[in-house]
Amino acid sequence: MSPRLIAVLLAAFLAWLGLTTPAMAAPVQTLTWTANNSTTDYASAPTGALPGETTIVFENSEATGNTTGMSHTLTFDTSTPGYNHDVTLNVLANPFDPANGRHEAVVTLTPGKYRYFCTIPGHTTMTGEFVVSDGGGDTIPPTVRASVTGDKDPSGNYVGSATVSLTATDAGSGVASVQYQLDGGSWTPYPAPVVVSSVGMHMVHYRATDVAGNTSAEAVEHFTIVERQGDRTPPTVTASIAGSQDASGDYVDVATATVTATDAGSGVAAVEYKLDGGAWTAYTGPVPVTAAGMHMLSYRARDVAGNTSPEGMAHFTVVKSDTTAPVVTASVGGTRDADGNYVGKAVVTVTAADAGSGVASVEYRVDGGAWTAYAAPVPVSSPGAHTVGYRARDVAGNTSPEGSVAVTVVAGGDTTAPTVSMQVSGKQDGNWNYVGQAAVTVTATDPESGVDFVEYKVDSGAWTRYVAPVVVAALGSHTVRSRATDVAGNVSAEVPGTLTVVAAAPPPDACPSSDTRETVVIGGLDSQVENIDIGNGCTINDVIDENAEYASSDRFVKHVKAVTRELVADGVLSPGDRNRIVTVAIESGVGGPPAAGRGPDMKKRW
């Protein structure tokens, strides 16, 4: 009798006695996914589950094998036909996030099949399925096996460490969970091979439970770990950075990293390095680094005895051999009177360009004040004569000479910024999400000097001149901001708006009672052409419709020729497959009396 059935009978018996079982506050099961450095597969994932409240655990951490800091998601499919769509789950995990890459969510599963995948670009093959079953009829527990691997001495003891791997299978409802217990400790979920390195005798118990609740008998594996004899001292490893340096100590154009390792015991077996948080790479010779910017080189070495050195680090910066300062200019906007003074306000716009290493920063100051980082046009509204200074610095450290513009501001004129509003339009679903795309229309008015131009930006993009409604088609939540500048140079406050774009629902099934035979069959004759869905829920057999009424066999053949011609044009059929279907239609006799010597009982011979 399965544990699930026992629980049901016990609850019924207690109810008959007038008693109740204690309420379970925790979900009935936990499903765990793990990820590592791979972009093609999850490190581990469940294949089956029971219906009901469930704790979902997604861990993408150093403990699960992610040593590169790569992000992954665990996302449940809510649109592909054939799967359950009642659970919305989209968890992003990174080894360095506040949860150290381990996240939990509680969901409610229903019987059926779920599909999950990773949404990170380039990780599209990270996908899988699991089945939720009530386990009815399955009373056979899973089969679970263990294997222990590692270096052995002549006595069969494992030297330094041993790795325990568990494998479970279940031909009934599927494996729900695998657990292990090391040296009498607590039962622990098994996500990946377990490395045991403490010296001495060890005992690993293990078991597995299927979706129906059947648990295998506990099994045990014994092994002994002994100390690795001889060399216990890790290698000594150092790094040096070479290249031409500027006055700031930065390397010009290229820095060459050389890693050196020594080991007086068993000797150096391997040297590795990684640059800027990338993957560990075998070191075979000096590494040239040419990308401009700050860099961090990490390095380590391992000796023949298996001792690994602590990770070392070297920081350095590469700059390009740019000796030309940026070119920086300024322009002044605003309303001017007959004497050339700016009425109410002058707006100074600074522009910088650098053809070498690129612009690193732009600064300005008003009337000899402190230098300030330039981020947007600078309004000068205090009446009187003013001088606005400006300068720019490139990535290589070259600073332009200070430029300046003189402006005189007089009172009066337009000092009021424009009024800006946004309107979002598009098809919406029941949750007010925009289906497929949304269009954002920006309107600005200024009753005084008039609107000069309008700008917008989507999410973290750059400010862009607005000339027509902005179409937002990327799926997900977005923030659209807008602002306007009038002829007098007044800039409005930013106006934000949020919207969410979701994928369009698939078209309705045009043939809910579809002919799903494997091949196209007409009048009992098999064309040997695959009977595929043509894209709207109908199969080729559906559109041929051999059971409809036709005035004659010739009329039926003309119908088949017409529909298959369209399927060839749509790329559903090849010309060769169309010829096979038309031939079978001619020989089938559908639509009229069969031709002499032919009939629905005859099979096509190719």
Side-chain angles (χ1 to χ4, degrees):
M1 184 178 297
S2 74
R4 182 179 176 86
L5 180 57
I6 292 173
V8 172
L9 294 176
L10 176 60
F13 177 66
L14 291 175
W16 179 74
L17 292 176
L19 304 173
T20 58
T21 56
M24 295 182 64
V28 298
Q29 63 185 334
T30 298
L31 302 182
T32 301
W33 281 258
T34 63
N36 51 26
N37 293 334
S38 174
T39 61
T40 58
D41 296 287
Y42 290 91
S44 67
T47 58
L50 288 170
E53 193 171 76
T54 301
T55 296
I56 301 293
V57 176
F58 178 43
E59 184 169 359
N60 175 35
S61 66
E62 291 182 345
T64 62
N66 190 325
T67 60
T68 64
M70 182 187 303
S71 296
H72 294 293
T73 76
L74 174 63
T75 306
F76 277 28
D77 190 330
T78 58
S79 61
T80 302
Y83 297 99
N84 287 5
H85 297 154
D86 55 351
V87 173
T88 300
L89 184 74
N90 184 25
V91 180
L92 173 66
N94 182 284
F96 305 116
D97 65 25
N100 295 320
R102 189 182 191 278
H103 300 264
E104 292 188 6
V106 177
V107 303
T108 300
L109 302 178
T110 56
K113 184 185 293 185
Y114 290 83
R115 178 179 179 269
Y116 56 87
F117 60 96
C118 179
T119 63
I120 303 294
H123 300 188
T124 54
T125 62
M126 291 181 65
T127 184
E129 303 172 348
F130 70 97
V131 176
V132 176
S133 168
D134 60 9
D138 180 7
T139 60
I140 300 175
T143 299
V144 59
R145 296 181 176 85
S147 64
V148 183
T149 58
D151 295 334
K152 289 185 177 182
D153 64 13
S155 300
N157 301 315
Y158 290 89
V159 180
S161 66
T163 300
V164 182
S165 301
L166 302 180
T167 304
T169 58
D170 187 87
S173 56
V175 176
S177 65
V178 180
Q179 296 175 302
Y180 73 94
Q181 182 189 67
L182 178 62
D183 298 333
S186 60
W187 284 101
T188 304
Y190 172 84
V194 179
V195 178
V196 182
S197 56
S198 59
V199 174
M201 297 181 62
H202 297 282
M203 179 173 59
V204 175
H205 286 79
Y206 52 93
R207 65 189 181 190
T209 302
D210 63 18
V211 173
N214 304 299
T215 301
S216 66
E218 292 181 20
V220 64
E221 193 75 27
H222 299 270
F223 55 93
T224 299
I225 297 175
V226 295
E227 290 184 351
R228 191 179 297 276
Q229 300 301 312
D231 181 10
R232 299 184 186 178
T233 304
T236 299
V237 58
T238 59
S240 62
I241 310 298
S244 176
Q245 293 177 273
D246 60 15
S248 300
D250 298 330
Y251 292 87
V252 179
D253 291 330
V254 62
T256 301
T258 301
V259 181
T260 303
T262 59
D263 188 86
S266 56
V268 176
V271 180
E272 295 178 301
Y273 75 94
K274 65 177 180 179
L275 185 64
D276 300 332
W280 283 105
T281 304
Y283 176 84
T284 58
V287 180
V289 181
T290 58
M294 297 179 63
H295 299 282
M296 182 178 71
L297 179 80
S298 301
Y299 50 91
R300 66 188 181 189
R302 178 173 50 82
D303 62 19
V304 174
N307 305 297
T308 301
S309 70
E311 181 180 325
M313 291 182 291
H315 297 268
F316 58 94
T317 299
V318 175
V319 296
K320 296 300 182 182
S321 54
D322 177 9
T323 59
T324 303
V327 175
V328 58
T329 58
S331 60
V332 185
T335 302
R336 306 180 77 170
D337 62 16
D339 297 323
N341 301 316
Y342 290 88
V343 180
K345 179 192 296 183
V347 178
V348 180
T349 300
V350 182
T351 304
D354 188 86
S357 55
V359 176
S361 65
V362 180
E363 297 175 303
Y364 74 94
R365 64 179 178 179
V366 179
D367 297 332
W371 286 105
T372 304
Y374 176 87
V378 181
V380 181
S381 57
S382 176
H386 302 279
T387 300
V388 179
Y390 51 89
R391 67 185 182 187
R393 181 174 54 84
D394 61 20
V395 174
N398 304 297
T399 301
S400 69
E402 180 180 346
S404 65
V405 291
V407 298
T408 299
V409 178
V410 296
D414 179 8
T415 60
T416 304
T419 300
V420 181
S421 63
M422 290 193 302
Q423 182 177 2
V424 184
S425 61
K427 181 181 178 182
Q428 292 180 281
D429 62 15
N431 295 319
W432 305 104
N433 300 317
Y434 290 89
V435 180
Q437 65 180 29
V440 181
T441 301
V442 184
T443 304
T445 59
D446 189 89
E448 297 185 48
S449 59
V451 176
D452 187 8
F453 58 88
V454 179
E455 298 172 293
Y456 73 92
K457 71 175 180 178
V458 180
D459 298 327
S460 59
W463 283 104
T464 304
R465 289 291 179 99
Y466 175 86
V467 294
V470 181
V471 176
V472 181
L475 301 184
S477 297
H478 302 280
T479 299
V480 181
R481 292 179 170 83
S482 60
R483 67 186 182 189
T485 302
D486 63 18
V487 175
N490 303 297
V491 181
S492 71
E494 294 180 14
V495 176
T498 59
L499 59 93
T500 300
V501 179
V502 296
D509 190 346
C511 298
S513 300
S514 189
D515 183 339
T516 58
R517 287 177 288 179
E518 292 185 359
T519 57
V520 177
V521 178
I522 304 175
L525 302 183
D526 190 350
S527 70
Q528 299 183 9
V529 175
E530 184 180 2
N531 182 34
I532 60 175
D533 190 314
I534 65 173
N536 62 354
C538 295
T539 65
I540 298 175
N541 275 334
D542 291 331
V543 297
I544 288 177
D545 197 10
E546 63 176 325
N547 295 319
E549 294 185 4
Y550 299 94
S552 65
S553 177
D554 183 57
R555 287 283 187 180
F556 172 68
V557 171
K558 288 182 177 180
H559 164 72
V560 173
K561 288 181 177 179
V563 297
T564 55
R565 184 183 300 110
E566 292 183 9
L567 294 178
V568 170
D570 293 340
V572 176
L573 281 177
S574 68
D577 286 344
R578 176 179 184 253
N579 291 339
R580 291 185 177 89
I581 294 173
V582 172
T583 301
V584 167
I586 294 171
E587 296 183 352
S588 69
V590 171
R598 306 212 181 260
D601 294 330
M602 296 183 65
K603 302 297 181 184
K604 174 64 182 174
R605 295 185 297 275
W606 300 103

